[in-house]
Amino acid sequence: MKTEEVQAEALAVAETIEEKSDVVDDASSPAEDALSSQRRPRWASVWFTLAVLLVASTFATWAYLFFVTRPADNALAPARQQAAVDAAADAAVAILTYKSDTVDADLEAATSRVTGTFGDYYRTFTRDVVAPAAKEKQISTSATVVGKAISEYRADKATVVVFLNQATTTADVTEPTATSTTIRVEVERHGDNWLVSKFDPA
């Protein structure tokens, strides 16, 4: 066989193989396309499901905070305010009540209800002025709360208006002298206790 004939036959075989290869590629392409098209919707479904779950979880969290936690906080608010009001009123009574023969103990007990700059002032003033005068002139005074109301309230601070009646006796005036006073009491929360940080006539 001549060289030209051999080359021609080899070329023909190569062309035949190439044609068959193209046929196989064309035949496999639709299958791959189908597989790819099946994968795309499946992944889209997964992402959609995840998005729905995320939205549902977010809504559930918001609903819990709004309908469960928030009402609980709102329900506690009046109780917390009342605690501040009661503490301010009790402190006002303790600060303004003492007897001449027990003045040191009475004023010392009241110091546990005060704090801050006012607390420092109260301790100094009662020790240096109130207690000596009470002993010398036999001064006794008793305060009674006749009204109390919240004026301002925050989580750790509150302002309370306290209305009191006072009855005072001295060595010279044995019959109680009645007076009425209104005190603006500022309290701060220290742990579970509300302590007086300011004490002014209203």
Side-chain angles (χ1 to χ4, degrees):
M1 185 177 290
K2 295 181 180 180
T3 303
E4 292 81 0
E5 292 178 353
V6 171
Q7 291 176 348
E9 185 175 350
L11 181 60
V13 170
E15 290 176 351
T16 302
I17 292 173
E18 184 176 354
E19 289 176 357
K20 291 183 178 180
S21 176
D22 291 341
V23 170
V24 171
D25 289 344
D26 292 341
S28 63
S29 294
E32 292 177 353
D33 291 342
L35 181 60
S36 177
S37 64
Q38 290 176 358
R39 287 175 180 173
R40 281 195 297 270
R42 188 175 300 167
W43 280 108
S45 176
V46 170
W47 285 112
F48 177 77
T49 302
L50 290 175
V52 170
L53 290 175
L54 179 61
V55 171
S57 176
T58 301
F59 178 79
T61 301
W62 173 85
Y64 175 81
L65 293 174
F66 188 83
F67 292 106
V68 178
T69 306
R70 185 176 175 182
D73 289 342
N74 290 339
L76 289 174
R80 290 171 178 167
Q81 291 184 16
Q82 190 61 49
V85 171
D86 293 341
D90 292 344
V93 170
I95 289 170
L96 297 176
T97 299
Y98 54 86
K99 294 180 180 180
S100 59
D101 55 347
T102 58
V103 62
D104 290 329
D106 295 337
L107 297 178
E108 180 63 26
T111 61
S112 64
R113 300 175 181 270
V114 298
T115 188
T117 303
F118 171 73
D120 295 337
Y121 166 80
Y122 177 78
R123 291 181 181 92
T124 301
F125 181 73
T126 54
R127 182 189 66 230
D128 297 343
V129 178
V130 177
K135 294 173 184 177
E136 180 183 350
K137 298 180 180 180
Q138 297 182 14
I139 300 172
S140 296
T141 181
S142 176
T144 304
V145 175
V146 294
K148 52 189 177 180
I150 194 78
S151 175
E152 297 178 14
Y153 178 79
R154 287 182 289 176
D156 296 319
K157 289 185 177 182
T159 301
V160 180
V161 178
V162 183
F163 305 91
L164 305 111
N165 287 337
Q166 275 185 277
T168 304
T169 61
T170 67
D172 297 331
V173 182
T174 57
E175 287 296 321
T177 301
T179 58
S180 296
T181 184
T182 302
I183 305 294
R184 187 179 179 87
V185 184
E186 293 185 12
V187 290
E188 297 177 357
R189 181 156 59 181
H190 293 259
D192 295 331
N193 299 317
W194 289 92
L195 304 179
V196 178
S197 59
K198 199 169 183 180
F199 193 85
D200 295 324

